[in-house]
Amino acid sequence: QVQLVESGGGSVQAGGSLKLSCEASEYTSCMGWFRQEPGKERDRIAAIDTYSRTHYSDSVKGRFTISRDKGDKTMTLQMNSLKPNDTAMYYCAAAARPLCPTRSQEYHYWGQGTQVTVSS
C-alpha cells in the first residue's frame, strides 16, 4: 500500500504563489494533483508520468508547474499567479500505470488533502 503525504497549501492573496509537495512511501509510475471544491467533482489539474511527461488542465496551464525529484518519490506543484477560483482542497494521487489517467476513479492511492485558499 503506497502512502502519500502532502505538505504546503494555506492562504494567499490573488497573484501570489504557493508550493505543494507530496511524498510517496514508494515509487509509482504516475503521480498527479487533483482539486475539489465543496459539492463538486474531484478534477485532475496536473500529472506527471513515468516518462516525465507532464499534463495540465486548461485552468492551470501556464501558471502551475508539476515536477518530481530524481528519486521520483517526491512530487511538487508550484502554483503561481493564483486566483480566487483556485480555492479548493488539493489532493495528491498516484496510479500504478505508465500513462496517467484523467479520471480520479483510476488512481489507486490518495493523500489526505491540503486546503488552498486564495483571497481577492
Side-chain angles (χ1 to χ4, degrees):
Q1 182 79 3
V2 177
Q3 294 183 333
L4 303 175
V5 179
E6 298 143 341
S7 60
S11 298
V12 66
Q13 289 190 326
S17 299
L18 284 173
K19 185 176 181 179
L20 304 182
S21 295
C22 175
E23 185 170 354
S25 58
E26 58 187 81
Y27 171 80
T28 53
S29 48
C30 167
M31 295 185 77
W33 289 97
F34 286 72
R35 67 185 182 189
Q36 186 173 27
E37 298 175 63
K40 296 187 178 181
E41 293 187 354
R42 192 173 295 187
D43 296 324
R44 194 189 79 175
I45 57 169
I48 184 164
D49 65 25
T50 193
Y51 305 106
S52 296
R53 293 180 300 196
T54 57
H55 311 272
Y56 297 97
S57 66
D58 288 341
S59 61
V60 306
K61 195 174 296 182
R63 300 187 297 123
F64 291 11
T65 303
I66 189 171
S67 62
R68 294 175 78 160
D69 68 358
K70 290 185 178 180
D72 285 334
K73 291 197 292 184
T74 300
M75 174 182 65
T76 60
L77 184 69
Q78 178 66 44
M79 306 185 292
N80 298 328
S81 302
L82 283 162
K83 305 175 182 179
N85 60 8
D86 291 319
T87 296
M89 185 70 78
Y90 284 68
Y91 295 92
C92 169
R97 298 188 179 190
L99 302 179
C100 287
T102 302
R103 299 190 312 153
S104 61
Q105 296 89 330
E106 297 183 70
Y107 284 76
H108 307 96
Y109 311 105
W110 291 89
Q112 76 282 3
T114 185
Q115 178 68 36
V116 171
T117 302
V118 184
S119 58
S120 57

